Amino acid sequence: MSAVIEKNASAARLHGSSDALALARAAQSKRPAVVFCARATEAQRLKDEIAWFTPQLAVLLLPDWETLPYDGFSPHHDLVSERLATLYRIMREDFDVAIVPAATALTRLAPPSFLAAHSFFLKAGEALDLDALRSQLTLAGYSHVTQVVAPGEYCVRGGLVDLFPMGSALPYRLDLFDSEIESIRSFDADTQRTLYKVAEIRLLPAREFPMDEAGRNQFRRSYRDAFEGDPSKSRIYKDVSNGVAPAGIEYYLPLFFENTATIFDYLPKGATVSMHGEVHVALTEFWRDAQGRHQLLAGDRARPLLPPAEIFLSVEDFFVRAKAFARADIENDAPSAHALPELAVERRAADPLHRLKAFLAATPARVMLLAESPGRRETLLQYLAEYGLKPEPCAGFEEFRRSVSRLALGVAPLLAGFFLDAEGLCFVTESELYAGTARSRAARDRKAVSSVEGMLRDLSELRSGDPVVHVQHGIGRYRGLVDLDLGEGAAEFLQLEYAEGNKLYVPVAQLHSIGRYSGGPPEQAPLHKLGGDQWDKAKRKAARAVRDTAAELLNLYARRATREGHAFKLNQHDYEAFAEGFGFEETPDQAAAIASAIESMKSGKPMDRLICGDVGFGKTEVALRAAFVAVDDNMQVAVLAPTTLLAEQHFNTFSDRFADWPIRLAELSRFKSGKETAAALQGLAAGEVDIAIGTHKLLQKDVKFKRLGLVIVDEEHRFGVRQKEALKALRAEVDVLTLTATPIPRTLAMSLEGLRDLSVIATAPERRLAIRTFVTPYSQGIIREAALRELKRGGQIFFLHNDVATIEVMREKLEKLLPEARVAVAHGQMRERDLERVMREFLQQRHNLLLCSRPGSTSPPPTPSSSSAPTSSGWRSCTSCAGASGARTIRPTRISSPPARTRSPPRRRSGWKRSR
């Protein structure tokens, strides 16, 4: 049966993105079409590409929960919102193509009657009972908040009702006139400003299961039937009975209904089903994983589990249900296509486009080059013109088909190109032209632009009670938004509370005059008195401190300003070739920092720039680009690192990136012998070494550079006073680039005051996910599950244990609990050489579990560390480990497990209280 369905999965005639074209053409004649994909990534790709080939088709994607089977936490509310909206449209046959990942299709769903019964509309001009609306929203699972920022929230403020419906891209604001909806407007969740009017809005339930009285009663009956024992002792049973949806409740969804549904119950009877990829293999693997996790977790009596068959369809049932629908054979109906030859740009060749030119001369087909975005299209157009190619602009697929252009250039989300035999058309994407660069379509679709000013001016980040600083009146507390009518109509104001209960109302339009308080703990922020002189005194004191700092730095920066520095020349061809070696797409902030650093180097004035960004946000790439510009202009570069291990890590990174270039690097640290150090010093003095990387050794008097042009300092705050004095002297002579994740107050103040240039990298790299932190009772099962999940994907683990006296005992426990792991121990009482050896081996992935006293006793972790399970540690250690874990594309997890039945010292216990 499955073999018959999957005979189209081989797709011998399909290459590149031609499968999306085949599905698009099939959907035009056989609507509606449903495509089951083996992989979720392929499902997203098909959705984007089908929409480009046939923009008139309504294409839907049913997202997954993105949790493991029987996980103890719930999916993100944005995913639930998108799932409900997609299911609603499928149920109403409001689509042309629906794409469903295979594993998602196995999950049992709420019956369509639930979605129909709990969805309702609100229209402008109709009567509205506000109390009834509150009850209806609460029963539908919406949360009442003070400010609406996420799907599933609502807020009532007098005659205004803010709603963020599930499945909606924007929230809406209902303006009531007595008991009538006078107008409905969408608004921006960040600025809270209205955008445009709409006639009506649709509200879907906030969850995929009912939490009203009938739903809770059904859950309690089903729970007692499914599980033995006293249900009143179950936390899940008690939470649901009290109207609270606990984390992970989605895996008890069948208990809320007498009968569940599947995706096939939502599909129209006339739908045509297609299989894409090895669906049977994907379903089998998912079913095996679900059974394995059930066996692993089924022993927890506090959280009993339903059998997999009650939550998921079996593989056999899936194909039996699919048999009831018509089939579309993609392979037989698809036009014949074949793969493209090698077309990659060779940056170092005399003509980098010689392969593309040879292909254009030899092929009889018409060729369309596809850029990833309009900006990339313009860049590509200039690059092609530089080497004699002038493609004609083309808006889309159909326009190119109707045209007679031999060579066209457009924008498309295609992942890979292909040659369409019958029609004589060829599509070449940037994946073929720039084969060594990994790019992501999701980054092109990102509409939010990072702004450093937004950190201080984003109203959605303020909560009632937060201390704020008004530029004229000083420190007060934010008490929320209020509506006031000052004779020109109602307007929104921020209410600030000052000493003695005085209040200040600030128009939302003057939000720029308010900043976040950062002078200490928020709860200890002093409130200034309106009309008093306390704030003026504080400003005068700060001004005096600035003058003192300015006097100290006057001589240094006067010399920098009057001295004519080296104006670096940028060879665009060589620079693009070097940038090609960066295997990721720059974030907007990272690209801006790179551009600012290069412009400063080209200006002719000595650069002193601070690059501030979190761990893993791409500061090192900024340093690499700046170093290349300096070396390419025949100047030397010095890279300073605070620790020997970090210096070695930088040396390895620089060596990899400059491997194909005639550039000589040297490392100065304790890891090098005296002979190697002497040779490196001699090479620096003679100008034979282009880049020197080391610790404070580089600042010693015997280190002489022949033509030093750029100094890169990593984590300046970790150098001593003497080293900083030497760095001061360097700043008067050469360009300085400082990298840091945590700038010291003085360095940050100088940057904010304009004495040093500042670039902030605030945008996380694509697919960098937030760290999930769990504080749980000590459980070997939890530790083993978290560790196995990380080891299975080839990652590494930090295990924090803050008692050096018993760390070897913990090592023995871990080796018994996790025989699959390669355990190493590191702590601050080890000999320095032994500690360096362990960390070097961990860096080289000879060990995949590091049992350590605290991350700060070692170097910054250079490896994929995305799961840490400390038994008892302070908050600083936990956050250090979190910083190491955060720079990953797989969601990192941090598990804090206080030891059971043990008594911690008072200091540690208070630390755990803060951690919680």
Side-chain angles (χ1 to χ4, degrees):
M1 170 57 199
S2 61
V4 175
I5 293 179
E6 289 206 28
K7 66 180 181 180
N8 54 8
S10 60
R13 301 172 59 188
L14 301 177
H15 294 275
S17 296
S18 62
D19 54 354
L21 176 60
L23 288 168
R25 290 182 171 175
Q28 286 180 299
S29 58
K30 301 175 181 178
R31 303 185 194 180
V34 181
V35 183
F36 292 102
C37 285
R39 293 184 297 170
T41 52
E42 287 295 289
Q44 183 63 52
R45 175 184 71 84
L46 289 175
K47 178 180 181 292
D48 296 337
E49 294 178 356
I50 291 174
W52 183 76
F53 283 118
T54 51
Q56 67 273 21
L57 293 179
V59 185
L60 302 179
L61 170 64
L62 181 63
D64 190 66
W65 279 339
E66 295 187 2
T67 58
L68 292 175
Y70 301 105
D71 253 340
F73 44 87
S74 295
H76 196 276
H77 52 73
D78 287 344
L79 290 173
V80 176
S81 173
E82 189 176 349
R83 282 172 58 87
L84 288 167
T86 303
L87 290 172
Y88 184 83
R89 292 186 62 182
I90 292 176
M91 180 180 68
R92 294 176 61 87
E93 301 185 31
D94 182 20
F95 73 102
D96 296 312
V97 182
I99 304 173
V100 185
T104 306
L106 290 187
T107 305
R108 296 186 182 273
L109 306 169
S113 58
F114 163 75
L115 208 55
H118 289 76
S119 301
F120 58 97
F121 288 82
L122 295 175
K123 299 180 181 180
E126 70 177 9
L128 178 68
D129 186 338
L130 199 54
D131 292 333
L133 177 64
R134 281 197 186 98
S135 302
Q136 197 168 9
L137 290 172
T138 302
L139 290 177
Y142 284 73
S143 302
H144 186 272
V145 294
T146 57
Q147 182 174 320
V148 172
V149 295
E153 295 179 345
Y154 77 98
C155 173
V156 179
R157 299 195 305 271
L160 293 178
V161 180
D162 289 351
L163 292 166
F164 205 142
M166 300 299 284
S168 173
L170 290 171
Y172 295 93
R173 179 164 293 154
L174 279 60
D175 194 351
L176 305 182
F177 181 74
D178 196 14
S179 60
E180 179 183 328
I181 301 177
E182 185 175 24
S183 66
I184 303 176
R185 290 183 174 89
S186 63
F187 68 92
D188 189 308
D190 294 328
T191 64
Q192 297 288 304
R193 295 183 178 180
T194 56
L195 301 175
Y196 52 84
K197 283 187 176 182
V198 296
E200 66 177 17
I201 57 173
R202 178 199 66 203
L203 283 93
L204 298 173
R207 301 186 182 93
E208 297 183 43
F209 50 88
M211 284 295 288
D212 55 11
E213 188 63 32
R216 297 200 300 270
N217 288 337
Q218 178 64 44
F219 177 88
R220 288 193 288 263
R221 288 195 299 269
S222 302
Y223 191 98
R224 290 191 293 267
D225 293 339
F227 304 117
E228 299 178 353
D230 184 1
S232 62
K233 296 182 179 179
S234 168
R235 177 181 57 83
I236 294 175
Y237 184 89
K238 290 189 291 186
D239 284 349
V240 174
S241 299
N242 294 328
V244 177
I249 189 62
E250 287 74 16
Y251 291 99
Y252 295 88
L253 182 142
L255 302 182
F256 287 94
F257 306 99
E258 293 184 2
N259 296 296
T260 55
T262 67
I263 185 61
F264 298 104
D265 296 312
Y266 282 82
L267 299 181
K269 293 182 179 179
T272 302
V273 172
S274 303
M275 301 289 169
H276 182 277
E278 297 181 352
V279 175
H280 187 274
V281 174
L283 294 177
T284 304
E285 289 180 355
F286 178 83
W287 184 253
R288 184 170 57 247
D289 289 344
Q291 289 179 316
R293 285 186 56 80
H294 181 266
Q295 294 174 2
L296 178 67
L297 304 173
D300 188 355
R301 295 183 179 179
R303 192 173 184 270
L305 303 181
L306 293 171
E310 293 191 27
I311 305 175
F312 308 104
L313 275 175
S314 66
V315 179
E316 292 76 14
D317 289 341
F318 173 85
F319 287 113
V320 169
R321 296 295 301 271
K323 190 177 180 181
F325 295 87
R327 301 285 158 63
D329 193 333
I330 305 174
E331 182 182 5
N332 291 336
D333 298 338
S336 177
H338 67 261
L340 297 172
E342 179 67 35
L343 300 175
V345 172
E346 287 189 82
R347 292 284 191 182
R348 297 191 183 90
D351 185 356
L353 300 175
H354 68 93
R355 291 173 177 168
L356 178 61
K357 289 181 177 179
F359 174 73
L360 293 174
T363 182
R366 296 190 296 118
V367 178
M368 185 177 188
L369 304 177
L370 299 173
E372 298 173 337
S373 66
R376 289 292 303 164
R377 178 190 58 200
E378 297 305 313
T379 302
L380 195 57
L381 185 63
Q382 295 176 7
Y383 189 71
L384 293 170
E386 185 179 344
Y387 292 97
L389 293 178
K390 296 182 179 180
E392 297 181 17
C394 191
F397 173 69
E398 287 299 329
E399 181 178 326
F400 178 62
R401 285 188 63 202
R402 293 192 298 265
S403 71
V404 293
S405 302
R406 293 284 303 166
L407 180 63
L409 176 63
V411 178
L414 302 193
L415 180 66
F418 57 93
F419 195 113
L420 204 57
D421 300 325
E423 301 180 38
L425 301 178
C426 180
F427 299 91
V428 179
T429 70
E430 289 194 71
S431 298
E432 285 80 41
L433 294 179
Y434 304 103
T437 304
R439 296 185 182 269
S440 154
R441 288 196 304 274
R444 299 195 303 272
D445 299 332
R446 190 185 304 139
K447 296 182 180 178
V449 178
S450 171
S451 169
V452 177
E453 293 181 336
M455 295 177 187
L456 303 175
R457 296 166 59 181
D458 190 348
L459 186 60
S460 65
E461 293 183 3
L462 284 178
R463 296 290 180 265
S464 181
D466 285 355
V468 294
V469 181
H470 192 281
V471 66
Q472 295 179 353
H473 302 287
I475 303 172
R477 288 195 179 274
Y478 172 69
R479 294 302 183 190
L481 289 171
V482 296
D483 292 318
L484 297 178
D485 190 345
L486 303 181
E488 299 180 356
E492 288 184 315
F493 291 79
L494 282 77
Q495 179 179 320
L496 306 184
E497 181 182 351
Y498 283 82
E500 300 179 1
N502 294 328
K503 292 181 174 58
L504 177 70
Y505 296 93
V506 181
V508 171
Q510 297 180 16
L511 189 61
H512 59 275
S513 64
I514 296 174
R516 190 182 304 280
Y517 174 76
S518 58
E523 60 274 6
Q524 298 178 10
L527 297 184
H528 289 165
K529 184 179 179 180
L530 284 177
D533 60 353
Q534 186 180 1
W535 176 238
D536 291 332
K537 289 180 179 178
K539 289 195 291 186
R540 285 196 296 270
K541 183 178 179 181
R544 285 195 298 271
V546 170
R547 286 195 294 271
D548 293 343
T549 303
E552 179 184 345
L553 299 171
L554 179 61
N555 183 40
L556 169 64
Y557 285 92
R559 281 190 293 155
R560 289 179 58 83
T562 56
R563 176 182 172 272
E564 190 66 28
H566 179 77
F568 290 90
K569 298 177 182 178
L570 179 64
N571 185 320
Q572 193 66 32
H573 184 276
D574 290 347
Y575 175 76
E576 288 182 2
F578 177 77
E580 193 72 19
F582 183 51
F584 306 92
E585 184 173 4
E586 297 98 340
T587 63
D589 290 349
Q590 189 182 29
I594 292 171
S596 299
I598 293 177
E599 286 302 316
S600 298
M601 295 174 68
K602 290 163 58 181
S603 67
K605 293 292 183 181
M607 175 181 69
D608 189 7
R609 180 169 292 275
L610 174 67
I611 307 294
C612 184
D614 205 349
V615 178
F617 275 35
K619 300 186 296 294
T620 304
E621 182 61 23
V622 181
L624 284 164
R625 302 283 180 94
F628 177 83
V629 172
V631 173
D632 196 47
D633 198 27
N634 201 32
M635 299 296 286
Q636 291 175 303
V637 178
V639 182
L640 285 165
T643 64
T644 306
L645 281 167
L646 193 54
E648 184 183 34
Q649 184 183 348
H650 280 312
F651 180 76
N652 293 335
T653 302
F654 275 69
S655 298
D656 290 340
R657 286 298 304 276
F658 288 100
D660 297 331
W661 295 87
I663 293 174
R664 184 179 172 190
L665 291 86
E667 180 185 1
L668 293 175
S669 70
R670 288 184 289 105
F671 286 163
K672 298 300 179 182
S673 64
K675 184 178 180 181
E676 291 174 322
T677 301
L681 293 176
Q682 185 177 356
L684 285 173
E688 298 171 355
V689 173
D690 299 299
I691 301 177
I693 302 171
T695 56
H696 58 277
K697 266 181 172 291
L698 282 175
L699 300 175
Q700 294 178 355
K701 293 183 179 181
D702 59 339
V703 179
K704 304 293 182 182
F705 292 87
K706 183 176 181 180
R707 51 182 188 279
L708 180 62
L710 175 66
V711 175
I712 300 171
V713 185
D714 194 6
E715 302 294 346
E716 181 186 21
H717 64 275
R718 297 179 64 182
F719 288 92
V721 175
R722 292 183 180 178
Q723 286 80 35
K724 288 181 181 177
E725 292 299 323
L727 289 176
K728 269 189 194 177
L730 280 177
R731 283 197 173 90
E733 305 296 331
V734 297
D735 287 16
V736 178
L737 187 67
T738 304
L739 316 177
T740 183
T742 54
I744 57 177
R746 177 169 172 172
T747 299
L748 184 59
M750 290 169 60
S751 300
L752 295 176
E753 291 161 4
L755 299 177
R756 298 175 67 175
D757 296 325
L758 174 66
S759 294
V760 177
I761 304 179
T763 306
E766 182 64 24
R767 295 186 65 229
R768 185 189 197 271
L769 301 178
I771 304 141
R772 279 187 170 144
T773 303
F774 301 94
V775 181
T776 70
Y778 181 84
S779 168
Q780 291 188 343
I782 291 176
I783 292 174
R784 177 169 172 79
E785 178 187 355
L788 287 179
R789 183 182 301 178
E790 187 65 18
L791 296 176
K792 184 178 180 181
R793 74 167 193 89
Q796 292 177 290
I797 303 161
F798 278 111
F799 194 108
L800 272 64
H801 182 79
N802 72 333
D803 188 0
V804 176
T806 60
I807 200 166
E808 287 298 331
V809 176
M810 179 55 69
R811 175 179 186 164
E812 294 177 2
K813 291 181 179 179
L814 287 176
E815 288 176 342
K816 292 179 181 178
L817 181 64
L818 297 164
E820 304 88 348
R822 302 185 299 275
V823 182
V825 175
H827 55 80
Q829 296 181 17
M830 295 173 64
R831 291 192 306 171
E832 192 172 6
R833 287 288 182 183
D834 292 338
L835 182 60
E836 289 176 357
R837 175 185 55 79
V838 170
M839 289 307 302
R840 186 194 286 255
E841 291 175 351
F842 189 62
L843 175 95
Q844 297 166 350
Q845 298 196 12
R846 296 181 185 177
H847 309 291
N848 52 20
L849 192 155
L850 184 66
L851 173 61
C852 54
S853 55
R854 57 182 294 265
S857 66
T858 63
S859 72
T863 50
S865 158
S866 58
S867 176
S868 57
T871 55
S872 62
S873 302
W875 181 245
R876 182 185 298 273
S877 296
C878 292
T879 51
S880 298
C881 210
S885 304
R888 311 298 163 213
T889 59
I890 305 298
R891 184 181 297 279
T893 307
R894 182 166 50 137
I895 300 176
S896 301
S897 302
R901 297 186 301 276
T902 60
R903 186 171 181 179
S904 303
R907 181 179 178 182
R908 291 300 177 194
R909 188 159 56 243
S910 63
W912 271 110
K913 185 176 181 181
R914 292 193 302 271
S915 176
R916 290 176 186 272

